[in-house]
Amino acid sequence: MKLYNTLTRSKDEFKPFDPTEVKMYVCGITPYDTTHLGHAFTYTAFDVLYRFLIFQNLKVNYTQNVTDIDDDILKRAKRDKKDWQELGNFWTEKYVNDMATLNNVKPTHYVKATETMPTIITFITKLVADGFAYERGGNVYFDVSKDPEYGKLSKYSRTEMIKLSTLRGADPTDPRKRDPLDFIMWQKSLPDEPFWGTPWSKGRPGWHIECSAMAYKYLDKRIDIHGGGHDLIYPHHESEIAQSEAFTGLIPFSQFWMHTGAVGYKGEKMSKSLGNLIMVSELLKKYSPNTIRYLLLSHHYREPWEYEECQIKEAVEKMKQIENEIKHLKPANNKSEKYLAAFTDSLADDLDTLTALEIINKAVQSGDDKAVAVMAEVLGFQLP
């Protein structure tokens, strides 16, 4: 099996560190406005990867997080005059229900950042003691000068990183930083904000440290696959690498980094800030979960794409044919092995779901019901 690795910029042969268990971590939602088609695209892609690894007789420890304490949640809660925890719980439940409706398997561990606070604080404490982080004014920052390879994932220049960090929530002009690229690990809370007590301040964790701590707690010091949307490469995943490898002394923190393409609508990337969201709950009022899933899998996980209604109408017809074929399931014929082999090869080639769907459609046309049923299950379609 070969997967595209953002770290190496190539398709690499996948072999888990531990042959008895694949350790996979996927960055989850920040629950204040979910679930749009971009979310569904990312998490359905990793759901298929999970299912395919199981199909390959591998045991998988799949951990996904919820960033339930974050600047964006606090801003939204203040704007809507709601309790930040109630807001987070509401949108988390909605996301979980949407994913279950789309037949995405619940991860082995589905955890909130607030449930991992002792590990987060232990993580930061060690990095401060070892000289990788420093405290100023109640905030704790990671010292990027201690990591000469900072930038190895994104391959961005220093100028590009400073620009992107500004766009993605950081403050390079913070006077407490030794370097504009130093990133916050712990921040002192304002009087009206939630806080946890630490040696540095009554505060809350930065975004990046949450994921490093959860991966460490629920998986291991080293993991096999770390995934998320393409926009997480910098600064989130870049910073995760720096602090996790500093904490454990082991390189690499994750041997594979996988990133999904952005989903657009009306010429712009689908995003909360732009408000151009196609919500899964709205699509489900008109289309079946299988149809939405077919639409998502008809795009390669790494490629950006734009939603158009004609695409989902095509998915309706394709899905009807597959479902009808499975309803009339007959014993496997002599073509089953051929189709299943081609299907396996397609997913083993960097999760090529487009080709996998083409193979299912060919099996449908040939009347190979048994092969269709097996392949549909691996892709996560709900069988009649």
Side-chain angles (χ1 to χ4, degrees), residues 138-191:
N139 289 356
V140 179
Y141 302 90
F142 186 88
D143 187 347
V144 297
S145 71
K146 299 296 175 68
D147 182 4
E149 292 191 311
Y150 190 74
K152 65 184 177 182
L153 178 68
S154 64
K155 312 291 193 296
Y156 292 140
S157 68
R158 177 180 172 85
T159 301
E160 289 171 321
M161 286 192 283
I162 290 174
K163 181 180 179 180
L164 275 174
S165 65
T166 305
L167 294 173
R168 294 176 179 170
D171 181 9
T173 65
D174 183 347
R176 289 164 292 192
K177 292 183 178 181
R178 294 174 183 170
D179 185 293
L181 287 179
D182 290 351
F183 56 87
I184 198 159
M185 303 180 77
W186 188 263
Q187 61 188 86
K188 187 176 181 179
S189 292
L190 296 174

Side-chain angles (χ1 to χ4, degrees), residues 47-329:
D47 181 71
V48 172
L49 177 59
Y50 172 82
R51 290 170 178 274
F52 183 61
L53 291 168
I54 297 293
F55 180 65
Q56 299 287 78
N57 297 314
L58 291 165
K59 181 182 177 184
V60 184
N61 184 340
Y62 175 17
T63 298
Q64 190 183 128
N65 74 297
V66 182
T67 304
D68 64 331
I69 180 67
D70 177 89
D71 287 345
D72 289 329
I73 289 180
L74 298 180
K75 288 175 186 174
R76 180 61 62 88
K78 187 174 290 187
R79 189 199 77 177
D80 295 349
K81 296 181 172 55
K82 291 185 177 179
D83 176 80
W84 65 276
Q85 289 174 302
E86 288 181 10
L87 181 76
N89 289 338
F90 173 83
W91 288 110
T92 298
E93 183 178 357
K94 186 167 180 56
Y95 165 79
V96 169
N97 290 338
D98 285 342
M99 291 299 100
T101 302
L102 292 182
N103 205 33
N104 282 356
V105 177
K106 186 177 180 181
T108 317
H109 303 287
Y110 186 62
V111 292
K112 297 178 178 179
T114 53
E115 297 170 342
T116 322
M117 207 58 68
T119 305
I120 291 171
I121 294 170
T122 297
F123 215 108
I124 299 172
T125 300
K126 184 177 188 300
L127 290 176
V128 171
D130 292 348
F132 289 103
Y134 58 92
E135 182 271 334
R136 282 190 179 173
N139 289 356
V140 179
Y141 302 90
F142 186 88
D143 187 347
V144 297
S145 71
K146 299 296 175 68
D147 182 4
E149 292 191 311
Y150 190 74
K152 65 184 177 182
L153 178 68
S154 64
K155 312 291 193 296
Y156 292 140
S157 68
R158 177 180 172 85
T159 301
E160 289 171 321
M161 286 192 283
I162 290 174
K163 181 180 179 180
L164 275 174
S165 65
T166 305
L167 294 173
R168 294 176 179 170
D171 181 9
T173 65
D174 183 347
R176 289 164 292 192
K177 292 183 178 181
R178 294 174 183 170
D179 185 293
L181 287 179
D182 290 351
F183 56 87
I184 198 159
M185 303 180 77
W186 188 263
Q187 61 188 86
K188 187 176 181 179
S189 292
L190 296 174
D192 62 344
E193 292 179 340
F195 65 84
W196 287 260
T198 69
W200 320 293
S201 66
K202 291 180 177 179
R204 53 194 173 86
W207 174 28
H208 315 313
I209 193 64
E210 294 176 350
C211 285
S212 284
M214 285 185 272
Y216 174 75
K217 179 177 179 179
Y218 292 97
L219 294 173
D220 207 343
K221 295 178 181 179
R222 306 176 83 174
I223 64 177
D224 299 298
I225 298 169
H226 197 310
H230 187 269
D231 58 340
L232 297 183
I233 293 174
Y234 186 85
H236 187 49
H237 290 165
E238 193 78 70
S239 301
E240 272 193 75
I241 290 173
Q243 62 199 8
S244 292
E245 293 180 354
F247 181 79
T248 65
L250 296 173
I251 298 173
F253 157 49
S254 177
Q255 61 168 327
F256 278 81
W257 289 86
M258 297 177 65
H259 296 96
T260 56
V263 180
Y265 182 53
K266 294 184 177 179
E268 298 278 0
K269 177 198 167 189
M270 203 174 289
S271 69
K272 299 170 186 174
S273 59
L274 292 174
N276 62 336
L277 303 179
I278 299 294
M279 305 302 287
V280 169
S281 56
E282 290 301 309
L283 284 179
L284 285 167
K285 292 176 182 178
K286 294 177 64 178
Y287 303 104
S288 73
N290 277 353
T291 295
I292 298 171
R293 196 172 182 96
Y294 192 102
L295 167 72
L296 297 170
L297 298 182
S298 65
H299 300 275
H300 190 273
Y301 80 90
R302 283 196 287 117
E303 299 302 321
W305 57 284
E306 182 151 332
Y307 171 75
E308 296 177 358
E309 195 168 4
C310 61
Q311 298 173 349
I312 199 162
K313 288 183 176 178
E314 182 180 345
V316 169
E317 296 307 313
K318 294 288 188 183
M319 204 62 237
K320 279 181 182 176
Q321 293 173 16
I322 293 171
E323 289 169 344
N324 286 336
E325 193 67 30
I326 295 170
K327 282 179 185 176
H328 305 98
L329 188 63

Side-chain angles (χ1 to χ4, degrees), residues 1-30:
M1 180 176 185
K2 287 192 173 184
L3 297 172
Y4 184 84
N5 190 351
T6 306
L7 187 64
T8 63
R9 298 294 196 273
S10 63
K11 285 185 189 179
D12 299 334
E13 192 71 33
F14 177 71
K15 290 183 180 179
F17 285 123
D18 179 352
T20 66
E21 182 181 71
V22 176
K23 297 176 176 66
M24 181 168 77
Y25 185 93
V26 177
C27 286
I29 60 163
T30 302

